Amino acid sequence: MPISLSDLLAAEDLALAVRGTAAIDPAPVQWIAVTELEDPAPFLSGGEVVLTTGMRQRTGAVQRRFVESVHRAGALAIGFGTGLSQDRVPGPLVEEANRLGLPVFEVPYKTPFMAVGKLVADALSADHVGQLHDLLSGHQVLAKALLSGQGLGGLLRELAQILGTEVALHQYGALIYSAGESTPGAIWHSKPIATGMRDRCTLAVAEPFRQPDLIAYAQSLISVELNNQARRRMRERAVNGQLLADIVAGKLSGQDAVHRLRSSGVSTDRRQLTLLVETAPSQARSLPSLPLPAGFDPAVTAILEDRLVILFPDGNPSELAAALSSYLRDAGLTAKVGLGGAYADPAGLRWGYYEAKEGLLRGAAVNQPDRLSLASLLMASRDVPLADLAAEALEPLLAFDTAHDAELVTTLETYLALNGSVAKVAHELGLHRNTVRYRLSQIADLSGYDPAVTGDRVHLYLALNVRRLAG
């Protein structure tokens, strides 16, 4: 540490003698300032010991002004060198210093000012070397914690121990890691972590703490690790997405699917709850690297159809979905969460995915699983060429609407939703009943399916639902 004023005055080889009555401040001496100016305040920064021989302080008034200037600048004490211009410390200088509570000591002729300055400089140099040693040692400890496989948790534990306080890492407003202990009501010192992922990550340190210079290095290590984690998530979710795409499409099943799922961390011995996250199109790019909140560590994630798929081994569906939805909201994402059932085998995962996907159509922040519609059941069975059948029925209508702005598909959807009531459709769309009948006739002619016939109506209903689910 820098030498304190009391230790400086106690140095036997300097033979310094206190001449005032002011209390000696044990604060560390920041520097030695030698001056013969009458007003040295503009050249002082505080914490210095000011040495002078008083060569330009010939009157009591000048001496008093000198003391006031030194005190105003925040200096710790005045050392007056005797044997040159003055044989003793001037009385007015001591009186003013006593009045202001500024210590005054005599520097005898045999003690050069350089000796006083050297003692202070040596102490400052030793303190600086000690700080550098501690800083480099801290660098090594933090880097070792991260590189030895302890991860961010290990790094923060070491950082908390070195700083002697509690540290916490927040991402998207959610606590990721914390370590150490702080006093109740502690003031937190926050530092942003740059990751380039717009994830608003912050390192918080409870005050007071030691070795503040170490925080900047910890910030850089955390930044590198978070970026590495984001890249790993992107790679894993891309690979897992290809696997789930094959399972959902029915291209991969049986033991082959079981082995592939296990290699991705999905155990088919336990039920897997499916959660599906869908964001606004402009925010979909954040899903491949999006970290999950605390409590989702057991989950396996994937990107499929621009949605984030989360497979969680059982758990409370409502609590998980609510926690996930709150986290997404805090992250600034406009997102919906769809819940599917909990199933163990690959075929069950297909069902869970379609349950969650159909739930998203309801548009709520959290969409609980419900019974699959007939359209979703048929889509889950890729052996049925439902998409082709839907296209066969609807493409002529869509093409006609595009060419003539005829709104045949809208009329069909409304007709089916209102249970085939021409009167209600006319009222809903603001049309004449004959116009509705004419449009229904066009639908029958173009598609080959008559909405007035029960069998054809079912076919058209399924076609519209398949188109909606596949969108």
Side-chain angles (χ1 to χ4, degrees):
M1 290 183 59
I3 190 170
S4 67
L5 178 59
S6 55
D7 289 340
L8 177 66
L9 294 176
E12 294 183 1
D13 52 342
L14 296 181
L16 305 177
V18 177
R19 291 294 179 250
T21 59
I24 304 301
D25 192 338
V29 179
Q30 300 300 325
W31 198 241
I32 294 295
V34 179
T35 182
E36 300 300 336
L37 297 174
E38 293 183 13
D39 181 13
F43 306 97
L44 301 176
S45 58
E48 306 96 339
V49 167
V50 177
L51 302 182
T52 185
T53 62
M55 295 183 65
R56 300 179 64 178
Q57 303 168 19
R58 297 299 182 181
T59 67
V62 172
Q63 293 162 4
R64 293 178 186 278
R65 286 198 299 272
F66 175 81
V67 174
E68 192 279 331
S69 175
V70 172
H71 179 265
R72 174 164 33 91
L76 293 180
I78 295 176
F80 196 93
T82 57
L84 291 174
S85 63
Q86 305 274 356
D87 292 331
R88 61 185 180 84
V89 182
L93 186 148
V94 175
E95 291 173 4
E96 183 67 10
N98 290 342
R99 185 183 73 81
L100 296 175
L102 184 66
V104 175
F105 61 90
E106 179 181 349
V107 182
Y109 180 79
K110 66 177 183 177
T111 302
F113 284 176
M114 181 180 294
V116 181
K118 185 177 185 303
L119 182 61
V120 172
D122 287 348
L124 289 171
S125 177
D127 179 67
H128 183 61
V129 170
Q131 288 181 2
L132 286 177
H133 178 271
D134 292 342
L135 185 61
L136 291 175
S137 176
H139 284 191
Q140 293 175 342
V141 170
L142 295 183
K144 182 179 179 180
L146 191 60
L147 298 176
S148 63
Q150 299 179 48
L152 286 177
L155 185 152
L156 291 179
R157 285 192 296 272
E158 294 292 352
L159 180 62
Q161 185 173 356
I162 295 172
L163 299 182
T165 187
E166 183 181 3
V167 297
L169 188 65
H170 296 84
Q171 201 165 23
Y172 288 125
L175 178 66
I176 302 177
Y177 300 101
S178 66
E181 296 182 1
S182 65
T183 57
I187 299 174
W188 288 86
H189 180 78
S190 296
K191 286 287 187 179
I193 303 297
T195 64
M197 306 303 291
R198 297 183 181 180
D199 50 8
R200 299 202 301 274
C201 187
T202 303
L203 173 66
V205 182
E207 298 179 357
F209 51 85
R210 304 186 295 263
Q211 298 194 40
D213 293 338
L214 190 61
I215 295 176
Y217 184 66
Q219 285 177 264
S220 64
L221 287 180
I222 294 171
S223 175
V224 170
E225 177 61 16
L226 288 177
N227 275 287
N228 289 337
Q229 288 183 4
R231 284 191 288 269
R232 285 195 297 270
R233 282 193 295 269
M234 292 177 70
R235 289 194 300 267
E236 291 173 358
R237 288 174 183 175
V239 172
N240 292 340
Q242 293 174 358
L243 171 59
L244 286 181
D246 289 341
I247 291 175
V248 169
K251 297 177 182 179
L252 186 65
S253 59
Q255 286 302 309
D256 289 341
V258 169
H259 293 316
R260 291 277 301 278
L261 286 169
R262 286 179 178 173
S263 67
S264 295
V266 180
S267 173
T268 54
D269 295 330
R270 299 180 61 184
R271 292 178 179 270
Q272 301 291 328
L273 177 69
T274 301
L275 297 96
L276 207 55
V277 176
E278 182 178 82
T279 64
S282 60
Q283 298 175 332
R285 71 179 69 181
S286 65
L287 293 181
S289 61
L290 180 72
L292 295 181
F296 278 75
D297 292 341
V300 174
T301 58
I303 294 294
L304 181 57
E305 299 179 320
D306 291 330
R307 300 181 181 94
L308 176 61
V309 184
I310 302 172
L311 300 179
F312 198 94
D314 274 338
N316 186 305
S318 299
E319 291 181 1
L320 289 170
L324 182 60
S325 178
S326 176
Y327 173 75
L328 294 169
R329 184 176 60 253
D330 292 341
L333 297 177
T334 303
K336 299 178 292 184
V337 178
L339 268 172
Y343 305 101
D345 55 51
L349 293 181
R350 294 170 66 186
W351 286 72
Y353 177 80
Y354 277 104
E355 285 179 337
K357 184 177 178 180
E358 186 168 28
L360 289 174
L361 296 175
R362 292 194 288 273
V366 175
N367 301 276
Q368 298 292 336
D370 202 353
R371 291 180 300 173
L372 279 178
S373 67
L374 181 57
S376 288
L377 290 173
L378 290 172
M379 284 200 66
S381 176
R382 291 303 177 98
D383 296 333
V384 179
L386 203 59
D388 294 335
L389 295 174
E392 177 192 12
L394 297 180
E395 282 183 0
L397 306 183
L398 294 168
F400 191 85
D401 280 349
T402 301
H404 303 284
D405 195 21
E407 296 188 351
L408 296 183
V409 173
T410 301
T411 303
L412 176 61
E413 289 175 334
T414 308
Y415 179 78
L416 296 176
L418 296 177
N419 299 315
S421 172
V422 172
K424 291 181 179 178
V425 173
H427 181 269
E428 179 71 19
L429 299 181
L431 302 173
H432 193 278
R433 295 184 186 183
N434 289 339
T435 303
V436 174
R437 294 190 183 97
Y438 177 70
R439 289 185 180 181
L440 293 174
S441 175
Q442 286 182 298
I443 291 170
D445 292 339
L446 290 169
S447 68
Y449 294 94
D450 187 350
V453 177
T454 300
D456 290 356
R457 186 185 299 182
V458 170
H459 189 101
L460 291 169
Y461 172 81
L462 291 175
L464 287 171
N465 276 273
V466 168
R467 175 173 174 264
R468 183 166 56 96
L469 289 170

